[in-house]
Amino acid sequence: MNKKQPKTETNTKTQTKLTPGAKELIKTTTETKGSKELTTTQPQTVTKTINHKSKEAQQERERKFNLIIKEIESKGKGVNTACKKYNLDPRSFFNLVDKNPSLLQQYTRALELKADVIAERIILNSHNRSNDFYIDGDGNQKPNPVAVQRDRLMLDADKWLLSKIAPKKYGDKLTLDGEVKTGNPLTIENINMILNEIKEE
């Protein structure tokens, strides 16, 4: 007789190969399971609003105005140059002048003193002969026409500016009662005479 062979139950398990990326995902999910999420709070930037019409802002503009006036009257600087140095918009400078008669008087006086600074600069530069000559390769002293022409150009520019800032005092023409009268041209002798009068005052 043929004996029946007992049936053997075979459990077949299907194995699935995982990619490295999937393994890493399973690992991360397992480690973070049941944990609480942490929320990171980013610091907020607080922007301070400056009221340009406040009393403090007005005082700061007036402080800068006084510094600019000193630059004009003591160093002969222009308004734009001085305003740039102290970080003040030239329009703000002139707004202060227009609204305040006292500041307008300060500015007018500063322009008068600036004219004197320029006049003194003209005299100093006209007497400066340090660049009039140069020594060539053979050791000979020769005139330097380029430097002389540049100095003359600088003097002419200062004289023109001076005549515009203070035309009544340093200009070539003087207007009185609607009449135009030709005065003496601006020469070194005239400037020296004017400066002597200023010193006597």
Side-chain angles (χ1 to χ4, degrees):
M1 291 179 67
N2 294 330
K3 295 182 179 180
K4 294 181 179 180
Q5 297 294 332
K7 295 181 179 181
T8 305
E9 295 180 358
T10 304
N11 296 328
T12 303
K13 296 182 178 179
T14 304
Q15 295 182 352
T16 303
K17 294 183 179 181
L18 300 176
T19 62
K23 292 180 179 180
E24 183 66 24
L25 179 60
I26 295 173
K27 180 180 178 183
T28 305
T29 304
T30 304
E31 291 176 351
T32 58
K33 187 177 181 180
S35 63
K36 295 182 179 179
E37 295 183 357
L38 298 178
T39 303
T40 304
T41 303
Q42 297 294 334
Q44 297 180 352
T45 303
V46 179
T47 304
K48 184 179 180 180
T49 303
I50 301 176
N51 184 5
H52 294 282
K53 295 183 179 180
S54 65
K55 183 178 179 180
E56 292 77 9
Q58 180 68 16
Q59 291 176 346
E60 178 63 14
R61 283 193 292 269
E62 291 182 359
R63 184 187 70 85
K64 291 181 178 180
F65 177 90
N66 292 328
L67 293 174
I68 292 170
I69 288 296
K70 289 181 180 180
E71 289 284 319
I72 295 173
E73 64 186 17
S74 63
K75 300 179 181 180
K77 298 293 184 180
V79 173
N80 289 334
T81 302
C83 285
K84 184 177 180 180
K85 179 177 180 180
Y86 294 105
N87 194 26
L88 181 66
D89 191 329
R91 291 174 297 182
S92 298
F93 177 88
F94 287 111
N95 285 337
L96 291 172
V97 171
D98 293 337
K99 295 177 181 179
N100 192 325
S102 176
L103 298 183
L104 175 59
Q105 187 177 3
Q106 283 184 253
Y107 178 56
T108 303
R109 178 58 179 168
L111 291 179
E112 293 174 357
L113 294 175
K114 175 182 177 178
D116 294 338
V117 171
I118 295 175
E120 292 178 2
R121 185 169 65 199
I122 291 175
I123 295 171
L124 291 176
N125 290 337
S126 62
H127 288 284
N128 182 10
R129 304 183 61 187
S130 60
N131 296 324
D132 290 357
F133 299 92
Y134 72 98
I135 306 299
D136 64 8
D138 298 329
N140 300 318
Q141 183 178 6
K142 292 186 176 181
N144 188 354
V146 175
V148 172
Q149 290 296 329
R150 184 172 60 249
D151 291 344
R152 180 177 297 174
L153 178 62
M154 294 172 60
L155 288 172
D156 288 342
D158 277 344
K159 287 167 61 178
W160 177 86
L161 180 60
L162 189 61
S163 67
K164 300 303 179 182
I165 295 176
K168 292 183 179 180
K169 192 173 185 178
Y170 296 107
D172 293 339
K173 294 181 179 180
L174 182 63
T175 302
L176 293 175
D177 298 330
E179 297 181 1
V180 178
K181 297 182 180 180
T182 303
N184 295 326
L186 184 63
T187 62
I188 299 300
E189 291 77 10
N190 291 338
I191 294 176
N192 285 329
M193 181 178 65
I194 294 172
L195 290 179
N196 289 332
E197 292 177 356
I198 295 174
K199 291 179 181 179
E200 291 177 358
E201 292 177 357

